[in-house]
Amino acid sequence: MAGRTLLHERLWRQNRDLASACLEHAFVRGLAGGALDPEVFKGYVAQDAFFLRSFLGAYCLAAAKCAGASERVRVFHDLIGGVLEELELHARYAASLEIDLECVTPHPATSAYTDFLIHTAWAAEPARIVAAMVPCMRLYAFLGQSLAPATEANPYRDWIETYSSPEFEELAARLEALLDELGQDARGLEETYRYAMQCELAFFESAWTRQAP
């Protein structure tokens, strides 16, 4: 039907309040202007690398549950590649900032988010798994595009360019298309999506305040 709102569009619109709160958060504004305390960013990188490993695991579990649908598995394969590229970025940051990514103790906000992702990936159907993962992808594409272009003098230029890139937007859009396909008849996806967005905002707040475990 012409003009029909797609599921991913509706969910994003319902959660624009949280997306806007993330964009206006002091941590993100610090990235935008390049004035973020390097120690705060160092802590964020460590926590985000810990998170991304769980995100990677959730993608793998979702792919396994779609093993009978080759096209869906292909989408997850490409998304897994995207996470691996993010982890490579974090590894470069870790090397320059002297972070031991093998000895990261997660903050409570990080643990809440990763526990939610892994539990959903193990226990839920693919539609709910994707609904739990789309917010991260769409939010980071939104933030990156909102902050771009970054000046050469901005020490966080690599971060902004990664998430504002056409390649990252394509991955986010492909995951949203999969959500539209899988979630046509699923129930309760609104709650799953919003909780993931709430976790994103809590993650930035935790990084900003350097909340101790």
Side-chain angles (χ1 to χ4, degrees), residues 15-80:
N15 289 276
R16 279 300 296 264
D17 59 328
L18 292 173
S20 296
C22 289
L23 179 61
E24 296 305 321
H25 194 279
F27 177 87
V28 176
R29 300 323 303 169
L31 290 174
L36 184 68
D37 183 341
E39 287 300 311
V40 172
F41 186 71
K42 180 177 179 178
Y44 161 82
V45 168
Q47 294 298 310
D48 201 43
F50 183 94
F51 164 80
L52 283 172
R53 291 177 180 179
S54 293
F55 205 70
L56 179 64
Y59 271 146
C60 292
L61 287 167
K65 291 186 176 183
C66 293
S70 59
E71 184 55 38
R72 293 175 184 174
V73 173
R74 186 174 292 109
V75 173
F76 284 120
H77 174 271
D78 293 342
L79 289 162
I80 288 168

Side-chain angles (χ1 to χ4, degrees), residues 25 47 55 61 83 103 124 148 187 192 210:
H25 194 279
Q47 294 298 310
F55 205 70
L61 287 167
V83 177
C103 297
R187 297 182 179 276
T192 299
R210 287 180 274 187

Side-chain angles (χ1 to χ4, degrees), residues 7-18:
L7 175 60
H8 81 269
E9 295 172 329
R10 175 167 58 83
L11 292 174
W12 175 249
R13 186 175 61 245
Q14 290 173 349
N15 289 276
R16 279 300 296 264
D17 59 328
L18 292 173

